mmCIF file of all heavy atoms in Angstrom:
data_model
loop_
_atom_site.group_PDB
_atom_site.id
_atom_site.type_symbol
_atom_site.label_atom_id
_atom_site.label_comp_id
_atom_site.label_asym_id
_atom_site.label_seq_id
_atom_site.Cartn_x
_atom_site.Cartn_y
_atom_site.Cartn_z
ATOM 1 N N VAL A 1 21.879 100.381 110.460
ATOM 2 C CA VAL A 1 23.304 100.471 110.526
ATOM 3 C C VAL A 1 23.861 99.410 111.221
ATOM 4 O O VAL A 1 24.937 98.796 110.786
ATOM 5 C CB VAL A 1 23.728 101.873 111.189
ATOM 6 C CG1 VAL A 1 25.287 101.831 111.434
ATOM 7 C CG2 VAL A 1 23.319 102.989 110.289
ATOM 8 N N LYS A 2 23.246 98.931 112.323
ATOM 9 C CA LYS A 2 23.813 97.899 113.166
ATOM 10 C C LYS A 2 23.690 96.486 112.382
ATOM 11 O O LYS A 2 24.711 95.734 112.430
ATOM 12 C CB LYS A 2 22.874 97.684 114.328
ATOM 13 C CG LYS A 2 23.429 96.525 115.325
ATOM 14 C CD LYS A 2 22.464 96.372 116.612
ATOM 15 C CE LYS A 2 22.961 95.229 117.432
ATOM 16 N NZ LYS A 2 22.091 95.206 118.673
ATOM 17 N N HIS A 3 22.713 96.332 111.485
ATOM 18 C CA HIS A 3 22.577 95.077 110.780
ATOM 19 C C HIS A 3 23.375 95.081 109.534
ATOM 20 O O HIS A 3 24.110 94.110 109.198
ATOM 21 C CB HIS A 3 21.072 94.757 110.422
ATOM 22 C CG HIS A 3 20.913 93.481 109.778
ATOM 23 N ND1 HIS A 3 20.805 92.201 110.360
ATOM 24 C CD2 HIS A 3 20.851 93.145 108.401
ATOM 25 C CE1 HIS A 3 20.771 91.232 109.491
ATOM 26 N NE2 HIS A 3 20.742 91.782 108.296
ATOM 27 N N PHE A 4 23.314 96.152 108.705
ATOM 28 C CA PHE A 4 23.867 96.059 107.404
ATOM 29 C C PHE A 4 25.306 96.719 107.363
ATOM 30 O O PHE A 4 26.058 96.472 106.417
ATOM 31 C CB PHE A 4 22.929 96.838 106.419
ATOM 32 C CG PHE A 4 21.705 96.202 106.121
ATOM 33 C CD1 PHE A 4 20.553 96.595 106.770
ATOM 34 C CD2 PHE A 4 21.745 95.084 105.154
ATOM 35 C CE1 PHE A 4 19.379 95.884 106.424
ATOM 36 C CE2 PHE A 4 20.421 94.499 104.876
ATOM 37 C CZ PHE A 4 19.263 94.859 105.483
ATOM 38 N N GLY A 5 25.620 97.608 108.375
ATOM 39 C CA GLY A 5 26.811 98.281 108.381
ATOM 40 C C GLY A 5 28.038 97.387 108.216
ATOM 41 O O GLY A 5 28.959 97.667 107.363
ATOM 42 N N PRO A 6 28.227 96.433 109.063
ATOM 43 C CA PRO A 6 29.399 95.589 109.019
ATOM 44 C C PRO A 6 29.684 94.806 107.583
ATOM 45 O O PRO A 6 30.841 94.652 107.291
ATOM 46 C CB PRO A 6 29.139 94.424 110.019
ATOM 47 C CG PRO A 6 28.205 95.046 111.032
ATOM 48 C CD PRO A 6 27.309 95.856 110.182
ATOM 49 N N SER A 7 28.552 94.735 106.832
ATOM 50 C CA SER A 7 28.804 93.889 105.522
ATOM 51 C C SER A 7 28.588 94.813 104.425
ATOM 52 O O SER A 7 28.625 94.473 103.246
ATOM 53 C CB SER A 7 27.854 92.824 105.438
ATOM 54 O OG SER A 7 26.473 93.231 105.606
ATOM 55 N N THR A 8 28.304 96.199 104.597
ATOM 56 C CA THR A 8 28.056 97.205 103.614
ATOM 57 C C THR A 8 28.847 98.315 103.778
ATOM 58 O O THR A 8 28.426 99.314 104.480
ATOM 59 C CB THR A 8 26.632 97.552 103.520
ATOM 60 O OG1 THR A 8 25.869 96.286 103.508
ATOM 61 C CG2 THR A 8 26.289 98.269 102.190
ATOM 62 N N PRO A 9 30.215 98.256 103.395
ATOM 63 C CA PRO A 9 31.110 99.444 103.706
ATOM 64 C C PRO A 9 30.596 100.845 103.218
ATOM 65 O O PRO A 9 30.893 101.868 103.877
ATOM 66 C CB PRO A 9 32.376 99.103 102.907
ATOM 67 C CG PRO A 9 32.217 97.662 102.777
ATOM 68 C CD PRO A 9 30.853 97.284 102.627
ATOM 69 N N ASP A 10 29.932 100.929 102.163
ATOM 70 C CA ASP A 10 29.384 102.165 101.700
ATOM 71 C C ASP A 10 27.882 102.446 101.956
ATOM 72 O O ASP A 10 27.169 103.200 101.260
ATOM 73 C CB ASP A 10 29.533 102.196 100.027
ATOM 74 C CG ASP A 10 28.869 101.114 99.389
ATOM 75 O OD1 ASP A 10 28.412 100.088 100.106
ATOM 76 O OD2 ASP A 10 28.582 101.182 98.122
ATOM 77 N N LEU A 11 27.442 101.883 103.133
ATOM 78 C CA LEU A 11 26.023 102.000 103.574
ATOM 79 C C LEU A 11 25.750 103.492 103.890
ATOM 80 O O LEU A 11 24.378 103.851 103.659
ATOM 81 C CB LEU A 11 25.774 101.172 104.971
ATOM 82 C CG LEU A 11 24.376 101.234 105.500
ATOM 83 C CD1 LEU A 11 23.423 100.595 104.490
ATOM 84 C CD2 LEU A 11 24.320 100.484 106.757
ATOM 85 N N LEU A 12 26.587 104.260 104.314
ATOM 86 C CA LEU A 12 26.369 105.689 104.614
ATOM 87 C C LEU A 12 27.017 106.619 103.557
ATOM 88 O O LEU A 12 28.085 106.204 102.956
ATOM 89 C CB LEU A 12 26.907 106.107 105.906
ATOM 90 C CG LEU A 12 26.395 105.260 107.212
ATOM 91 C CD1 LEU A 12 27.108 105.846 108.440
ATOM 92 C CD2 LEU A 12 24.964 105.196 107.291
ATOM 93 N N LEU A 13 26.439 107.777 103.356
ATOM 94 C CA LEU A 13 27.017 108.672 102.305
ATOM 95 C C LEU A 13 28.376 109.050 102.836
ATOM 96 O O LEU A 13 28.669 109.228 103.923
ATOM 97 C CB LEU A 13 26.094 109.874 102.251
ATOM 98 C CG LEU A 13 24.712 109.770 101.556
ATOM 99 C CD1 LEU A 13 23.989 111.018 101.594
ATOM 100 C CD2 LEU A 13 24.931 109.148 100.277
ATOM 101 N N PRO A 14 29.368 109.171 101.880
ATOM 102 C CA PRO A 14 30.712 109.470 102.264
ATOM 103 C C PRO A 14 30.787 110.912 102.864
ATOM 104 O O PRO A 14 30.086 111.832 102.385
ATOM 105 C CB PRO A 14 31.436 109.280 100.915
ATOM 106 C CG PRO A 14 30.567 109.545 99.862
ATOM 107 C CD PRO A 14 29.270 109.051 100.491
ATOM 108 N N PRO A 15 31.763 111.060 103.797
ATOM 109 C CA PRO A 15 31.965 112.442 104.311
ATOM 110 C C PRO A 15 32.599 113.306 103.319
ATOM 111 O O PRO A 15 33.214 112.980 102.398
ATOM 112 C CB PRO A 15 32.964 112.219 105.560
ATOM 113 C CG PRO A 15 33.538 110.890 105.247
ATOM 114 C CD PRO A 15 32.631 110.143 104.439
ATOM 115 N N SER A 16 32.300 114.585 103.437
ATOM 116 C CA SER A 16 32.807 115.621 102.450
ATOM 117 C C SER A 16 32.890 116.952 103.224
ATOM 118 O O SER A 16 32.563 116.987 104.349
ATOM 119 C CB SER A 16 31.822 115.727 101.228
ATOM 120 O OG SER A 16 30.565 116.236 101.665
ATOM 121 N N ASP A 17 33.275 117.979 102.484
ATOM 122 C CA ASP A 17 33.298 119.323 103.098
ATOM 123 C C ASP A 17 31.900 119.744 103.628
ATOM 124 O O ASP A 17 31.811 120.463 104.463
ATOM 125 C CB ASP A 17 33.880 120.395 101.968
ATOM 126 C CG ASP A 17 35.271 120.112 101.607
ATOM 127 O OD1 ASP A 17 35.949 119.450 102.472
ATOM 128 O OD2 ASP A 17 35.764 120.564 100.625
ATOM 129 N N GLU A 18 30.916 119.370 102.839
ATOM 130 C CA GLU A 18 29.635 119.678 103.180
ATOM 131 C C GLU A 18 28.855 118.741 104.159
ATOM 132 O O GLU A 18 27.923 119.018 104.799
ATOM 133 C CB GLU A 18 28.706 119.750 101.992
ATOM 134 C CG GLU A 18 28.945 120.914 100.990
ATOM 135 C CD GLU A 18 30.155 120.492 100.109
ATOM 136 O OE1 GLU A 18 30.486 119.386 99.917
ATOM 137 O OE2 GLU A 18 30.847 121.472 99.659
ATOM 138 N N LEU A 19 29.421 117.466 104.331
ATOM 139 C CA LEU A 19 28.810 116.457 105.101
ATOM 140 C C LEU A 19 29.858 116.012 106.095
ATOM 141 O O LEU A 19 30.715 115.177 105.826
ATOM 142 C CB LEU A 19 28.333 115.305 104.328
ATOM 143 C CG LEU A 19 27.623 114.171 105.017
ATOM 144 C CD1 LEU A 19 26.335 114.740 105.751
ATOM 145 C CD2 LEU A 19 27.214 113.012 104.125
ATOM 146 N N PRO A 20 29.819 116.376 107.322
ATOM 147 C CA PRO A 20 30.786 115.938 108.360
ATOM 148 C C PRO A 20 30.744 114.509 108.616
ATOM 149 O O PRO A 20 29.745 113.847 108.230
ATOM 150 C CB PRO A 20 30.391 116.740 109.655
ATOM 151 C CG PRO A 20 29.518 117.870 109.204
ATOM 152 C CD PRO A 20 28.839 117.394 107.981
ATOM 153 N N ILE A 21 31.754 113.864 109.219
ATOM 154 C CA ILE A 21 31.854 112.447 109.344
ATOM 155 C C ILE A 21 30.701 111.965 110.225
ATOM 156 O O ILE A 21 30.279 110.773 110.177
ATOM 157 C CB ILE A 21 33.244 112.003 109.926
ATOM 158 C CG1 ILE A 21 33.431 110.487 109.941
ATOM 159 C CG2 ILE A 21 33.405 112.574 111.329
ATOM 160 C CD1 ILE A 21 34.804 110.073 110.018
ATOM 161 N N ASN A 22 30.318 112.775 111.232
ATOM 162 C CA ASN A 22 29.109 112.414 112.087
ATOM 163 C C ASN A 22 27.805 112.927 111.702
ATOM 164 O O ASN A 22 26.745 112.946 112.381
ATOM 165 C CB ASN A 22 29.460 112.830 113.640
ATOM 166 C CG ASN A 22 30.658 112.047 114.197
ATOM 167 O OD1 ASN A 22 30.738 110.839 113.897
ATOM 168 N ND2 ASN A 22 31.501 112.752 114.918
ATOM 169 N N GLY A 23 27.687 113.399 110.473
ATOM 170 C CA GLY A 23 26.499 113.967 109.941
ATOM 171 C C GLY A 23 26.350 115.373 110.264
ATOM 172 O O GLY A 23 26.982 115.900 111.161
ATOM 173 N N PRO A 24 25.328 116.003 109.673
ATOM 174 C CA PRO A 24 25.073 117.493 109.925
ATOM 175 C C PRO A 24 24.644 117.855 111.275
ATOM 176 O O PRO A 24 24.888 118.963 111.788
ATOM 177 C CB PRO A 24 24.044 117.916 108.777
ATOM 178 C CG PRO A 24 23.374 116.623 108.401
ATOM 179 C CD PRO A 24 24.438 115.595 108.648
ATOM 180 N N ASN A 25 23.991 116.916 111.989
ATOM 181 C CA ASN A 25 23.402 117.185 113.290
ATOM 182 C C ASN A 25 24.162 116.284 114.418
ATOM 183 O O ASN A 25 23.682 116.262 115.432
ATOM 184 C CB ASN A 25 21.952 116.955 113.331
ATOM 185 C CG ASN A 25 21.605 115.667 112.913
ATOM 186 O OD1 ASN A 25 22.481 114.666 112.704
ATOM 187 N ND2 ASN A 25 20.200 115.453 112.701
ATOM 188 N N GLY A 26 25.232 115.596 113.943
ATOM 189 C CA GLY A 26 26.004 114.787 114.974
ATOM 190 C C GLY A 26 25.414 113.413 115.171
ATOM 191 O O GLY A 26 25.832 112.705 116.045
ATOM 192 N N LYS A 27 24.351 113.074 114.538
ATOM 193 C CA LYS A 27 23.595 111.764 114.750
ATOM 194 C C LYS A 27 23.897 110.715 113.719
ATOM 195 O O LYS A 27 23.374 109.679 113.779
ATOM 196 C CB LYS A 27 22.064 112.141 114.727
ATOM 197 C CG LYS A 27 21.600 113.004 115.926
ATOM 198 C CD LYS A 27 20.082 113.143 115.869
ATOM 199 C CE LYS A 27 19.582 114.082 116.918
ATOM 200 N NZ LYS A 27 18.174 114.288 116.961
ATOM 201 N N GLY A 28 24.878 111.082 112.731
ATOM 202 C CA GLY A 28 25.230 110.108 111.763
ATOM 203 C C GLY A 28 24.989 110.621 110.388
ATOM 204 O O GLY A 28 24.148 111.440 110.193
ATOM 205 N N ARG A 29 25.714 109.956 109.454
ATOM 206 C CA ARG A 29 25.494 110.430 108.025
ATOM 207 C C ARG A 29 24.363 109.742 107.429
ATOM 208 O O ARG A 29 23.915 108.557 107.880
ATOM 209 C CB ARG A 29 26.718 110.095 107.117
ATOM 210 C CG ARG A 29 27.979 110.730 107.676
ATOM 211 C CD ARG A 29 29.126 110.721 106.676
ATOM 212 N NE ARG A 29 29.479 109.386 106.186
ATOM 213 C CZ ARG A 29 30.206 108.486 106.938
ATOM 214 N NH1 ARG A 29 30.834 108.807 108.193
ATOM 215 N NH2 ARG A 29 30.448 107.192 106.488
ATOM 216 N N PRO A 30 23.626 110.325 106.522
ATOM 217 C CA PRO A 30 22.339 109.732 105.832
ATOM 218 C C PRO A 30 22.744 108.371 105.219
ATOM 219 O O PRO A 30 23.859 108.069 104.839
ATOM 220 C CB PRO A 30 21.893 110.705 104.777
ATOM 221 C CG PRO A 30 22.358 112.077 105.404
ATOM 222 C CD PRO A 30 23.849 111.642 105.957
ATOM 223 N N LEU A 31 21.724 107.485 104.998
ATOM 224 C CA LEU A 31 21.951 106.213 104.414
ATOM 225 C C LEU A 31 22.212 106.501 102.888
ATOM 226 O O LEU A 31 21.736 107.349 102.313
ATOM 227 C CB LEU A 31 20.767 105.320 104.541
ATOM 228 C CG LEU A 31 20.322 104.893 105.976
ATOM 229 C CD1 LEU A 31 18.908 104.274 105.860
ATOM 230 C CD2 LEU A 31 21.360 103.988 106.490
ATOM 231 N N ASN A 32 23.244 105.617 102.426
ATOM 232 C CA ASN A 32 23.339 105.552 101.015
ATOM 233 C C ASN A 32 22.352 104.672 100.294
ATOM 234 O O ASN A 32 22.533 103.441 100.264
ATOM 235 C CB ASN A 32 24.797 105.117 100.665
ATOM 236 C CG ASN A 32 25.215 105.053 99.247
ATOM 237 O OD1 ASN A 32 24.363 105.324 98.399
ATOM 238 N ND2 ASN A 32 26.472 104.832 98.909
ATOM 239 N N ARG A 33 21.305 105.144 99.835
ATOM 240 C CA ARG A 33 20.112 104.341 99.330
ATOM 241 C C ARG A 33 20.521 103.455 98.246
ATOM 242 O O ARG A 33 20.036 102.196 98.264
ATOM 243 C CB ARG A 33 18.958 105.118 99.118
ATOM 244 C CG ARG A 33 18.428 105.867 100.397
ATOM 245 C CD ARG A 33 17.154 106.714 100.173
ATOM 246 N NE ARG A 33 16.744 107.197 101.474
ATOM 247 C CZ ARG A 33 15.991 106.562 102.294
ATOM 248 N NH1 ARG A 33 15.639 105.348 102.018
ATOM 249 N NH2 ARG A 33 15.676 107.019 103.363
ATOM 250 N N PRO A 34 21.281 103.879 97.277
ATOM 251 C CA PRO A 34 21.555 102.834 96.107
ATOM 252 C C PRO A 34 22.337 101.676 96.773
ATOM 253 O O PRO A 34 22.155 100.571 96.252
ATOM 254 C CB PRO A 34 22.399 103.764 95.257
ATOM 255 C CG PRO A 34 21.984 105.120 95.418
ATOM 256 C CD PRO A 34 21.677 105.315 96.865
ATOM 257 N N ALA A 35 23.326 101.918 97.651
ATOM 258 C CA ALA A 35 24.099 100.878 98.281
ATOM 259 C C ALA A 35 23.177 99.858 98.993
ATOM 260 O O ALA A 35 23.314 98.610 98.933
ATOM 261 C CB ALA A 35 25.200 101.288 99.208
ATOM 262 N N LEU A 36 22.238 100.345 99.790
ATOM 263 C CA LEU A 36 21.294 99.565 100.522
ATOM 264 C C LEU A 36 20.441 98.844 99.606
ATOM 265 O O LEU A 36 19.992 97.662 99.746
ATOM 266 C CB LEU A 36 20.452 100.412 101.511
ATOM 267 C CG LEU A 36 19.414 99.685 102.386
ATOM 268 C CD1 LEU A 36 20.142 98.701 103.284
ATOM 269 C CD2 LEU A 36 18.760 100.666 103.271
ATOM 270 N N GLY A 37 20.051 99.523 98.519
ATOM 271 C CA GLY A 37 19.146 98.805 97.473
ATOM 272 C C GLY A 37 19.745 97.640 96.823
ATOM 273 O O GLY A 37 19.072 96.685 96.635
#
């Protein structure tokens, strides 16, 4: 997240009703693997 986040806006999965902005456990949203790929 530190390296790729600033240049990859969609690096993390978007928040939704099922996925809070800070992730399900408060540690962050999962990586958006297609975007990283």
Side-chain angles (χ1 to χ4, degrees):
V1 171
K2 181 179 179 180
H3 181 83
F4 291 99
S7 56
T8 313
D10 56 347
L11 180 64
L12 305 181
L13 292 177
S16 64
D17 291 340
E18 293 77 26
L19 183 62
I21 192 167
N22 291 322
N25 55 11
K27 296 180 179 179
R29 302 193 305 278
L31 296 171
N32 181 353
R33 293 182 178 276
L36 182 58

